[in-house]
């Protein structure tokens, strides 16, 4: 079954993606459903999707599927029809990207996991389908305006750092499994208030809201389709947008702009900036925020030390990082000693792309 895995190196795949004129659409979807043979289901999807050039990252577990992919526009209807032919995925909502140049993924990777989102919860101890009430964008805005409503960001610190909803509680956590107990602690004594949870596409809140219901919170809601679907609805309907800044995404784009406010700063100089990047030193690969000026100064590196390594001939760089490839250092981001500036600009004074100055709200 070796043909059910990619065998081309990533550098070549990236070059191929950037050189092709093919138009692609980035989308995501998830569904909690009992899958009896995840490996067989995984192989079925890989075979069918690779034949029509689908790229992306997909997790499959006995509890369901979590997918972020990109599809060539000419194959989109073929993909959708074949997806909806799978009983438990028939009619599943496809969240399409807000800002999309078609270069979000360059490889198809489908992995079998213990869970489609790492949460370390014992699912047998509570009913995961007993989740919070789903809210569309209009209902979210209405509930967000009520005095007894608490909005909780169920994402990680590096996500909420560049964008979040107005007045949201943003736990300072590195992973989703840390977000659950952190949110519960922040909500002590609030079990009778309206608790509105949100995340990128809805999957984390599906589990988190069910957990909060299990823990005795009486009025739990979740943003249906997450930030992605919210942004689509407010844009199409002309409703008020209560999301400030960028929506962090886990693909090559690393973010899509929802509003013009910039609420974070360059980690190297402290100037307003919300552009995530990975350190060019592949042995570091730290995920951090960097402005254009610092990108030129540090050759797209996170520090002078990494700058010196990148300046070396490629064979020497390769030898230095042998056995040290770090992947996306999302957990280290913002915790590294190389990060000199990390702060959220207060809600009362965001930097606006329109004005080029502080926009008092």
């Amino acid at each position: 079954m070796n043909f059910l895995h990619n065998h081309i190196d990533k550098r070549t795949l990236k070059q191929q993606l950037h050189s092709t004129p093919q138009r692609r659409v980035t989308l995501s979807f998830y569904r909690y459903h009992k899958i009896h043979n995840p490996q067989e289901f995984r192989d079925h999807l890989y075979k069918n999707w690779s034949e029509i050039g689908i790229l992306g990252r997909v997790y499959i577990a006995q509890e369901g599927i979590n997918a972020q992919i990109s599809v060539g526009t000419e194959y989109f209807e073929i993909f959708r029809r074949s997806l909806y032919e799978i009983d438990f995925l028939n009619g599943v909502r496809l969240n399409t990207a807000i800002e999309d140049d078609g270069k979000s993924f360059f490889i198809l990777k489908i992995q079998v996991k213990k869970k489609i989102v790492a949460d370390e919860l014992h699912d047998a101890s509570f009913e995961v389908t007993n989740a919070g009430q789903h809210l569309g964008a209009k209902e979210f805005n209405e509930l967000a305006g009520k005095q007894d409503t608490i909005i909780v960001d169920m994402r990680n610190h590096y996500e909420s750092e560049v964008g979040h909803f107005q007045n949201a509680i943003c736990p300072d956590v590195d992973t989703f499994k840390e977000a659950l107990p952190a949110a519960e602690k922040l909500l002590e004594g609030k079990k009778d208030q309206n608790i509105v949870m949100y995340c990128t596409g809805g999957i984390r809140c599906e589990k988190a809201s069910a957990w909060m219901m299990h823990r005795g919170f009486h009025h739990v809601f979740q943003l249906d389709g997450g930030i992605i679907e919210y942004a689509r609805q407010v844009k199409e309907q002309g409703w008020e947008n209560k999301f400030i800044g960028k929506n962090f995404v886990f693909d090559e784009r690393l973010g899509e702009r929802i509003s013009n406010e910039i609420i974070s700063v360059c980690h190297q100089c402290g100037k307003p900036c919300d552009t995530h990047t990975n350190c060019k030193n592949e042995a570091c690969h730290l995920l951090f925020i960097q402005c254009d000026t610092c990108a030129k100064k540090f050759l797209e590196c996170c520090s002078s030390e990494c700058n010196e390594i990148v300046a070396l001939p490629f064979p020497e760089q390769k030898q230095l990082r042998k056995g040290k490839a770090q992947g996306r250092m999302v957990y280290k981001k913002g915790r590294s000693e190389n990060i000199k500036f990390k702060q959220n600009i207060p809600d009362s004074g965001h930097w606006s792309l329109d004005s080029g100055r502080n926009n008092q709200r």
Side-chain angles (χ1 to χ4, degrees), residues 135-144 151 165 196 198 223 230:
L135 299 174
K138 184 178 181 181
E139 293 77 20
F140 177 91
N141 282 354
E142 291 173 353
L143 198 56
I151 303 172
F165 279 102
V196 181
Y198 72 89
L223 181 57
Y230 175 89

Side-chain angles (χ1 to χ4, degrees), residues 69-80:
I69 61 175
S70 83
V71 187
T73 54
E74 69 269 38
Y75 295 111
F76 185 81
E77 286 305 320
I78 295 174
F79 156 75
R80 180 158 55 184

Side-chain angles (χ1 to χ4, degrees), residues 12-45:
T12 300
L13 289 170
K14 278 189 175 182
Q15 290 174 346
Q16 290 177 352
L17 179 64
H18 286 286
S19 63
T20 179
Q22 182 189 42
R23 295 179 59 194
R24 304 181 68 87
V25 57
T26 300
L27 59 93
S28 62
F29 66 90
Y30 72 91
R31 178 62 59 88
Y32 280 100
H33 179 83
K34 183 69 173 179
I35 299 177
H36 296 286
N37 192 329
Q39 185 63 50
E40 182 179 308
F41 184 58
R42 178 263 173 209
D43 291 346
H44 169 76
L45 289 184

Side-chain angles (χ1 to χ4, degrees), residues 82-98:
S82 65
L83 186 71
Y84 286 178
E85 287 174 357
I86 301 170
D87 286 344
F88 79 93
L89 292 175
N90 185 18
V92 67
R93 182 181 51 240
L94 305 177
N95 282 336
T96 54
I98 305 302

Side-chain angles (χ1 to χ4, degrees), residues 206-220:
E206 200 75 38
K207 183 71 71 73
S209 64
W211 175 252
M212 290 301 181
M213 297 278 285
H214 170 70
R215 297 294 290 172
F217 289 85
H218 304 300
H219 309 290
V220 182

